[in-house]
Amino acid sequence: MDMEHKKFNRIVAGFVFLISLVVLAITTQDSVPFWDCGEFTASAYLLQVPHPPGAPFHALLGRIFLMIPFYPDIAFRMNFMSALAGSLTVVMLYLSSVILISKWRGIPKTIIDKFIVYGSSVIGALTLSFSDTFWFNAVESEVYSPSLFLLAFVVWLALHWWVISDKEEKSERIFLLIGYLFGLSIGVHQLSLLAFFTVALIYYFKKYEFSIKSFAIFSIVSTIIFVIMYKGIITGIPTMLDSASERVIFVLIAAAVVYGLYFAQKHHKGLLSTGLLFIVLMVVGYSTYTMIVVRANKGLAMNENNPRTIEKLVSYLGREQYGDYPVVNLDKNKWGGKLFPRRWTDEQYRVEKFKEYSSDWDYFVRYQFYNMWFRYLLWNFVGRAGDVQDAPPIFTGKTVEGWIVGHPEQNFPNRYYAIPFIIGLIGALYHLYRDKKFGFSIWVLFIITGFGLMFYQNMQNPQPRERDYFFVGSFYVYALWVGIGVAAILEMIEKSRNALKENKMIYAGILGAVLIAVPGNMLYQNYDDHNRHGNYLAWDFAYNLLQSCPQDAVLFTNGDNDTFPIWYMQDVEGVRRDVRLVNLSLINTDWYALQMKNETPYGAKKVPITYSDDQIKTMVNR
């Protein structure tokens, strides 16, 4: 029966993968999109240095896809990498859902069992595939689709370990792979690190009996490990390599780890050995960042922040270019002495916006909590009134506070009638009811990748674009709950006293109806505004802008959308490399001004800046 389950499960997983891949592939943008996509494609094409904190592993993967001539347009190849990663993410959700539902039901034996376990999981997986934010990320060359795959893969690995841990003696080796993936993921995006506490909870609930004392100890230990991962490895290692004295500390720590491994092996301390190897493999995965320093010293056209030394790499990883933002304030002389300052900036155009809120709490609830997270959750599972910025969620498909849905200037309303949201809410609560331990573990992942991330980022009003992609991890969890919610509905029928509860056609009919009403309707509603096939707007914009310039011109741009497509055109397609592009958002940094003044990428002329190098450094850094 176990072999039959594995075979059937893999067949269904393959079916889900193909559906997702076909839809994502045919809707992938044919050429370079706007925002960071042009920059990331140019970065991958020549292994250049993009904006902080960089994405070296993403660039290395992209370079492989760009070298394979499966499509004429080079940018499409990079976009397709996101589509493939998105389809694999959908498979991971399906496989994880099967494990979670099977945990309380057992391996499916009857047809009804299969409907509940496999059918519900298919619906949850396809719900994610056709959801607004996920689909948007999966058809362009951004980092969010590959990073979500790594998060989903890590969660599935932890669940898979739980399944096989009683059968395979050395199953803990899976955690070594998880550690390596955590390290690799830093070179894409740090999203997957947020799965750490869920992975740790799965380990705790498998190995220990719950008690207040043991859970308190677990919470302290897991927090310490996370701090070691985040502060000790991601920011700590570059900092320790920054000076001779700190390099000594690094060598001593490395020696202690090596001795610890020797001690653990000699005295058969399996947990200690696994823990230390977890850290070592995470460092190995993180080592893709050495590429940043190497390539920064090659005189490339794109070399943001110029992190050619360890000291500059520390600044690069710390995103110092973007300034600091307070999450917790312990200085009574700053931010009005507020412990959790929400309206913290003194930029005048933001201060004017702050006046719309009566207090920091009002700002937090109405803007940060609702507008910058919960609204996006409703977008994905309730409905979206339009495709312009600040569009509200839509419940009924009619009118939302002055928004006339379907009006020409507010195109592409996406109506789900809140059906996915309601089923997902049922799933979230039912999971806790049927399986408190794993239900709690998944809730932790949802809270951290949603509410927790929103609180940590402390975003200010206004934003230049919608930020729903930051919270795609929480939408992944909610889609997982949609599948569990379908299982809950079918189990309620199964436990009813109705004579029809043993009628297989009832279950098939309900699954079919939900399949049409949820992922089917989301596919129908979202297809028009997520289909980017034939979209060459960014390419045409960049090409026309460059061709409008005279020979050896200096072209001034301001933001991402009028800069990154041009970088793509020049670096990847070799169009008008004689034109020097000067980004006004970056010219106030010394590294960029010095590059404009002193460097000649592709033989283009230097930008005629008359200030000396020392004057530039003084003006920028004062």
Side-chain angles (χ1 to χ4, degrees):
M1 183 61 68
D2 191 40
M3 289 302 298
E4 180 184 345
H5 163 65
K6 288 182 180 179
K7 182 179 179 180
F8 190 80
N9 194 30
R10 289 168 183 169
I11 291 172
V12 177
F15 177 71
V16 168
F17 173 76
L18 286 176
I19 292 177
S20 179
L21 183 63
V22 168
V23 172
L24 294 180
I26 65 178
T27 57
T28 294
Q29 187 154 341
D30 289 290
S31 188
V32 59
F34 279 117
W35 295 106
D36 298 348
C37 301
E39 180 197 24
F40 281 130
T41 304
S43 171
Y45 188 73
L46 297 173
L47 296 182
Q48 301 184 98
V49 182
H51 68 273
F57 184 57
H58 183 256
L60 289 168
L61 286 175
R63 179 59 182 155
I64 294 172
F65 276 80
L66 294 176
M67 292 169 66
I68 304 173
F70 62 88
Y71 196 84
D73 194 292
I74 295 175
F76 175 87
R77 303 174 197 171
M78 187 81 172
N79 295 338
F80 180 76
M81 182 176 78
S82 288
L84 180 60
S87 301
L88 292 171
T89 304
V90 170
V91 172
M92 290 298 108
L93 188 149
Y94 165 78
L95 294 173
S96 298
S97 180
V98 167
I99 292 174
L100 290 170
I101 298 173
S102 297
K103 185 174 181 293
W104 75 74
R105 284 192 64 88
I107 294 176
K109 297 177 182 178
T110 67
I111 295 296
I112 292 176
D113 286 340
K114 292 178 180 179
F115 279 143
I116 294 175
V117 176
Y118 304 131
S120 300
S121 299
V122 167
I123 289 175
L126 294 181
T127 297
L128 175 71
S129 186
F130 306 140
S131 60
D132 184 22
T133 301
F134 176 85
W135 195 344
F136 186 92
N137 291 331
V139 293
E140 64 176 15
S141 51
E142 257 283 10
V143 298
Y144 298 103
S145 184
S147 70
L148 183 62
F149 163 68
L150 289 168
L151 179 144
F153 190 28
V154 163
V155 171
W156 175 78
L157 282 172
L159 293 171
H160 179 65
W161 167 82
W162 182 90
V163 171
I164 68 170
S165 58
D166 293 332
K167 306 171 187 176
E168 298 186 19
E169 183 180 349
K170 296 182 179 180
S171 61
E172 273 78 7
R173 287 181 294 184
I174 287 178
F175 288 100
L176 303 183
L177 176 58
I178 290 174
Y180 181 62
L181 289 172
F182 276 147
L184 282 179
S185 70
I186 300 167
V188 180
H189 191 273
Q190 295 176 10
L191 175 66
S192 73
L193 287 179
L194 301 181
F196 169 77
F197 289 102
T198 293
V199 171
L201 280 166
I202 291 171
Y203 182 87
Y204 166 77
F205 287 131
K206 183 66 177 181
K207 291 292 186 179
Y208 303 97
E209 285 295 326
F210 174 80
S211 68
I212 294 179
K213 180 180 179 180
S214 68
F215 188 77
I217 294 172
F218 156 78
S219 300
I220 294 170
V221 171
S222 59
T223 301
I224 292 172
I225 294 173
F226 184 79
V227 170
I228 291 173
M229 291 168 57
Y230 189 74
K231 292 293 186 181
I233 295 177
I234 299 176
T235 59
I237 290 179
T239 302
M240 283 188 286
L241 296 176
D242 192 24
S243 66
S245 59
E246 290 173 331
R247 288 188 197 112
V248 173
I249 298 175
F250 175 77
V251 171
L252 291 174
I253 292 174
V257 171
V258 172
Y259 177 77
L261 285 170
Y262 166 76
F263 176 84
Q265 290 292 323
K266 184 176 180 180
H267 297 279
H268 306 289
K269 304 289 186 181
L271 184 59
L272 176 61
S273 178
T274 300
L276 291 174
L277 282 173
F278 178 95
I279 297 297
V280 170
L281 287 171
M282 184 176 173
V283 173
V284 172
Y286 181 46
S287 67
T288 58
Y289 263 94
T290 57
M291 187 191 83
I292 294 292
V293 179
V294 172
R295 300 302 291 173
N297 282 277
K298 294 296 182 180
L300 303 167
M302 184 197 303
N303 183 16
E304 298 197 51
N305 281 65
N306 190 23
R308 61 177 59 194
T309 65
I310 296 297
E311 179 184 6
K312 291 183 177 180
L313 179 65
V314 173
S315 172
Y316 182 80
L317 291 171
R319 300 166 59 94
E320 293 180 8
Q321 171 183 320
Y322 304 117
D324 194 14
Y325 57 93
V327 179
V328 177
N329 175 40
L330 301 178
D331 187 348
K332 294 183 179 180
N333 297 318
K334 293 180 65 177
W335 319 119
K338 300 171 183 174
L339 181 61
F340 300 107
R342 296 289 102 184
R343 298 176 295 176
W344 51 268
T345 183
D346 56 2
E347 296 171 300
Q348 189 56 40
Y349 73 104
R350 296 192 191 277
V351 171
E352 290 301 313
K353 279 286 186 179
F354 290 162
K355 295 177 181 178
E356 299 175 8
Y357 305 92
S358 60
S359 64
D360 270 26
W361 174 251
D362 182 40
Y363 179 76
F364 171 71
V365 172
R366 287 202 291 132
Y367 181 73
Q368 293 185 331
F369 173 80
Y370 176 77
N371 200 64
M372 298 310 293
W373 174 57
F374 195 67
R375 177 173 64 100
Y376 297 141
L377 183 69
L378 299 180
W379 265 15
N380 281 272
F381 300 100
V382 170
R384 180 175 175 178
D387 69 336
V388 300
Q389 189 156 340
D390 294 322
I394 184 167
F395 289 84
T396 62
K398 295 180 180 178
T399 304
V400 180
E401 293 185 18
W403 281 69
I404 305 174
V405 177
H407 206 269
E409 66 268 19
Q410 296 164 357
N411 284 333
F412 306 116
N414 299 327
R415 306 179 181 94
Y416 318 136
Y417 308 103
I419 299 172
F421 185 81
I422 294 169
I423 296 177
L425 186 59
I426 292 171
L429 299 175
Y430 191 76
H431 196 194
L432 278 174
Y433 167 71
R434 288 304 305 262
D435 186 353
K436 291 181 175 59
K437 293 179 179 179
F438 272 27
F440 175 74
S441 302
I442 299 301
W443 262 97
V444 166
L445 181 61
F446 175 74
I447 292 170
I448 290 176
T449 56
F451 180 87
L453 200 55
M454 172 275 302
F455 184 84
Y456 175 78
Q457 288 176 331
N458 201 359
M459 283 186 276
Q460 300 299 281
N461 188 8
Q463 290 289 316
R465 63 182 293 196
E466 298 285 14
R467 300 298 191 182
D468 53 308
Y469 52 87
F470 283 147
F471 309 107
V472 69
S474 63
F475 308 151
Y476 169 88
V477 175
Y478 208 89
L480 183 69
W481 282 337
V482 170
I484 294 175
V486 175
I489 294 170
L490 295 178
E491 284 196 347
M492 291 174 192
I493 295 173
E494 185 185 34
K495 293 176 181 178
S496 69
R497 296 181 179 181
N498 194 308
L500 295 176
K501 70 179 184 179
E502 296 182 2
N503 189 327
K504 302 178 184 64
M505 296 306 296
I506 295 294
Y507 296 88
I510 292 174
L511 279 175
V514 177
L515 186 66
I516 293 171
V518 180
N521 182 56
M522 293 172 79
L523 172 62
Y524 170 74
Q525 294 287 337
N526 291 343
Y527 190 87
D528 53 3
D529 53 316
H530 286 75
N531 179 15
R532 301 201 207 176
H533 178 65
N535 185 338
Y536 288 89
L537 179 60
W539 192 98
D540 289 342
F541 168 79
Y543 182 85
N544 292 336
L545 200 58
L546 284 171
Q547 296 295 11
S548 70
C549 297
Q551 184 70 25
D552 299 323
V554 177
L555 175 62
F556 292 93
T557 61
N558 186 52
D560 296 352
N561 281 336
D562 51 349
T563 300
F564 294 155
I566 294 175
W567 283 359
Y568 166 82
M569 295 297 297
Q570 292 184 321
D571 291 356
V572 179
E573 300 199 9
V575 176
R576 294 299 307 273
R577 287 177 168 177
D578 61 289
V579 175
R580 290 305 302 271
L581 187 149
V582 177
N583 184 297
L584 297 176
S585 299
L586 296 176
I587 199 67
N588 61 344
T589 63
D590 56 354
W591 60 268
Y592 186 72
L594 293 171
Q595 287 176 1
M596 295 296 101
K597 175 177 180 288
N598 299 321
E599 297 181 7
T600 57
Y602 312 115
K605 292 184 178 180
K606 299 176 181 179
V607 176
I609 298 175
T610 57
Y611 291 110
S612 68
D613 291 1
D614 288 338
Q615 286 176 319
I616 290 172
K617 293 176 183 178
T618 301
M619 285 188 295
V620 170
N621 296 322
R622 66 183 176 183

